[in-house]
Amino acid sequence: MYYGSSITQGGCASRPGKAYQDIICRRFDYNYINLGFSGSAKGEDAICEYMASLDMSAFVSDYDHNAPTVEHLAATHEPMYRNIRATHPDIPVIFITRPGIRYNADEIARREVVKTTYENARARGERVYFVDGETVFAIFGGDGGSVDGCHPNDLGFACVAAALDPIFAEIYGEK
């Protein structure tokens, strides 16, 4: 299952099959639920409880840039994760921060919130992964990966898929 922003939604892909989730699911032959909400993924309790109630074999969290402030993200990110973990204690959870280049101070602070959730989970021995979004577009050359400095285009989605590929290869086995 994927939870996040307009990026998760696939907002600027030229067609649905070009979003990173579709690229990954074709490669590893699995189905997925996409809970990408343009501007509206904010880690609300109700959606977290709903997600926790769903059957899933992995969870990808990508909502850091929809949180209205860094403080909001800090108040919701780890509780959202713990809600999912409470009902799915053994699934792999992947945290990915907003893909981009040259993060500004706000984006760096948001990444640190997500990274703290990840590090806390690792310290407890939980099965988690972290993808630093600031490095994602560099996979295929940098600036050409987005339509507006934020939303991936087809190349950007290919970069996100490439960043996630080794994690899914570990989770589901190399294909």
Side-chain angles (χ1 to χ4, degrees), residues 12-157:
C12 291
S14 65
R15 60 185 176 84
K18 293 291 190 174
Y20 75 86
Q21 305 89 339
D22 290 287
I23 295 168
I24 293 287
C25 91
R26 282 192 304 274
R27 172 149 154 55
F28 293 98
D29 192 27
Y30 70 83
N31 294 317
Y32 69 93
I33 297 170
N34 184 337
L35 295 176
F37 302 103
S38 183
S40 297
K42 298 178 181 165
E44 304 94 329
D45 290 341
I47 192 72
C48 293
E49 290 169 16
Y50 170 71
M51 290 187 301
S53 75
L54 298 174
D55 184 30
M56 64 181 99
S57 61
F59 180 73
V60 179
S61 171
D62 162 35
Y63 84 94
D64 60 306
H65 42 288
N66 275 181
T69 64
V70 172
E71 294 77 20
H72 176 91
L73 182 63
T76 60
H77 197 268
E78 188 146 350
M80 177 273 308
Y81 166 72
R82 286 179 175 256
N83 196 328
I84 299 296
R85 185 55 78 201
T87 55
H88 301 283
D90 299 320
I91 66 168
V93 174
I94 303 165
F95 300 108
I96 183 168
T97 61
R98 180 184 90 95
I101 53 173
R102 296 179 296 277
Y103 272 13
N104 63 34
D106 182 70
E107 292 163 329
I108 291 168
R110 288 168 183 271
R111 175 179 54 206
E112 290 309 309
V113 170
V114 176
K115 197 168 187 182
T116 296
T117 300
Y118 162 77
E119 289 170 349
N120 291 344
R122 291 277 303 186
R124 292 188 297 270
E126 297 167 2
R127 191 173 176 198
V128 291
Y129 302 85
F130 178 80
V131 176
D132 183 350
E134 189 176 23
T135 66
V136 169
F137 287 161
I139 292 171
F140 295 133
D143 287 345
S146 93
V147 297
D148 58 1
C150 175
H151 295 89
N153 56 26
D154 291 353
L155 176 61
F157 281 119

